[in-house]
Each structure stands twice: as structure tokens, then as C-alpha cells.
């Protein structure tokens, strides 16, 4: 079985998005959100899609190096990172596989 790919994006001052072929999930965020928080919300949108999907293998691509690095810190106090780690754990427990990929931004 092949992997399904999801790309995350958080345009400055707009919101968060997760893009899957044929589908764009997006959320308007408060103006006070930082880019880090917006990128983390984009991850959550992607993981919500994974959780509800019948497919079992996913690659999530993000240009947010700071969020990806924060996900390596299992002692994070950031509520968004804690939520992402919890969702990743629940998804893995359901038998699904998610691989996170960092991609260069602004190339």
C-alpha cells in the first residue's frame, strides 16, 4: 500500500491549512497567533484528516522546522505540541502510520 501525502501551510496572518489531493482543509486563526502556533494548527488539521481517513499510511510535509523540532521534545509545555503528540500517539495506536517530513521553505 502506498502513502498518501498531506502538505501543511500557514500563511502569515491568515490561518492554517492542510492540503491533500482534491481537498483543502483550512481554519481562520486569531490575528494574535504566532507563525509557530499557526503551523502547529496546520499539523492538527492534517492529523484530524488522518484520524478520520480509511487510509492507513500518510506522509505529512511541512516547512516549519520549529514545529518539527518541538515534536522531538516530549516534555514540551506548549499545549499545541502536546495535542499533536497525543494525536500522533492515538493514530499510531489505531494501526496507522504517519511519517513527518521537513521541506525547505522559500526556495
Amino acid at each position: 500500500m502506498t502513502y498518501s501525502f498531506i502538505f501543511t501551510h500557514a500563511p502569515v496572518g491568515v490561518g492554517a491549512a492542510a492540503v491533500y489531493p482534491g481537498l483543502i482543509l483550512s481554519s481562520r486563526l486569531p490575528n494574535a497567533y504566532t507563525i509557530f502556533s499557526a503551523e502547529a494548527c496546520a499539523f492538527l488539521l492534517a492529523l484530524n484528516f488522518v484520524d478520520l481517513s480509511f487510509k492507513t499510511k500518510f506522509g505529512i510535509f511541512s516547512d516549519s522546522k520549529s514545529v518539527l523540532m518541538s515534536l522531538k521534545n516530549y516534555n514540551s509545555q506548549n499545549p499545541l505540541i502536546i495535542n499533536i503528540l497525543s494525536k500522533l500517539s492515538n493514530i499510531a495506536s489505531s494501526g496507522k502510520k504517519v511519517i513527518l517530513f521537513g521541506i525547505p521553505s522559500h526556495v
Side-chain angles (χ1 to χ4, degrees), residues 1-106:
M1 179 171 282
T2 61
Y3 280 80
S4 298
F5 300 128
I6 303 171
F7 296 85
T8 64
H9 185 55
V12 176
V14 176
V19 180
Y20 178 80
L23 180 67
I24 298 174
L25 305 169
S26 64
S27 178
R28 177 79 170 107
L29 301 173
N31 291 336
Y33 266 44
T34 64
I35 293 295
F36 178 88
S37 294
E39 292 284 1
C41 287
F43 262 95
L44 288 170
L45 286 172
L47 291 173
N48 286 337
F49 176 80
V50 169
D51 195 29
L52 297 173
S53 176
F54 293 109
K55 296 186 179 203
T56 59
K57 293 183 178 181
F58 294 88
I60 298 177
F61 294 79
S62 174
D63 67 354
S64 180
K65 185 177 181 180
S66 58
V67 171
L68 290 167
M69 295 299 289
S70 293
L71 293 173
K72 291 182 178 183
N73 179 6
Y74 292 102
N75 296 318
S76 176
Q77 298 300 309
N78 183 299
L80 292 169
I81 297 302
I82 293 167
N83 197 353
I84 292 169
L85 291 171
S86 175
K87 282 194 177 291
L88 283 168
S89 177
N90 291 340
I91 288 168
S93 295
S94 74
K96 294 181 180 181
K97 185 170 186 174
V98 176
I99 300 175
L100 305 178
F101 295 93
I103 54 176
S105 61
H106 308 288

